[in-house]
Amino acid sequence: MAIRDILEFPDPRLRTVAKPVEVVDDQIRALIDDMFETMYDAPGIGLAATQIDVHLRVLTIDLSDEHNEPLVLINPEFEVLDEEPHKYQEGCLSVPGFFEDVVRPQKIRVQALDRNGDTLDFIADDLLAVCIQHEIDHLNGKLFVDHISALKRNRIRTKLEKKHRLEAAHA
Ligand code: QAP
Ligand code: CO
């Protein structure tokens, strides 16, 4: 297992649309293990393969404090069950240090494959629904900052570009 580097906004690789996984094999399970290790190390509650520059439709989530409720979704799809707009202050490991309110549907039905290639079909609401929609956005090359005003997004971009320049100068 390995901790992988996380791409940060505005890295253009975060705009890649990920490809479906064709076979859930040991190589995919090794990717999933690295994603959990990377996510727990950060620490974060959700990670899409896109964020570690692997452009396959795989995401990992764990909302528990004890890191003992791992959820893997492969080729996830969702349909909105409750259009009721739900506002949540989102963050992202690819946008470190910034948190902004995002409005999304509050209740969704999720279909995906698990780490054995078996079908999952469940209903998610509240934070889990937010997290799944946020992570599926990554697989489509989208970030939570695309849901906020251009003014806020550009401020965040400028600050992160400055941080990246400082990090490069100290490397
Ligand atoms: C996505 O986000 C999410 O800026 C997962 O300095 C967020 O794990 C879904 C993190 C909110 C639903 C609601 C962000 C850690 C972690 C940071 C994360 C930071 C340190 C974000
Ligand atoms: Co994110």
Side-chain angles (χ1 to χ4, degrees), residues 18-104:
K19 294 195 167 70
V21 170
E22 293 194 1
V23 189
V24 181
D25 56 13
D26 285 347
Q27 206 178 317
I28 295 296
R29 283 184 281 272
L31 166 66
I32 290 165
D33 290 344
D34 282 359
M35 287 175 64
F36 275 113
E37 196 175 352
T38 303
M39 184 180 85
Y40 288 144
D41 175 72
I45 59 170
L47 188 73
T50 307
Q51 294 176 272
I52 57 165
D53 204 21
V54 174
H55 301 288
L56 291 171
R57 304 188 78 82
V58 177
L59 48 94
T60 56
I61 291 174
D62 192 334
L63 303 183
S64 73
D65 290 329
E66 299 83 18
H67 296 173
N68 58 1
E69 292 172 24
L71 175 65
V72 181
L73 300 179
I74 299 168
N75 301 342
E77 313 256 13
F78 74 94
E79 65 179 280
V80 174
L81 294 184
D82 183 354
E83 295 279 358
E84 191 63 35
H86 182 247
K87 190 164 77 179
Y88 197 90
Q89 191 171 57
E90 297 190 21
C92 180
L93 292 172
S94 294
V95 191
F98 297 91
F99 298 84
E100 295 289 344
D101 282 346
V102 175
V103 174
R104 301 183 190 270

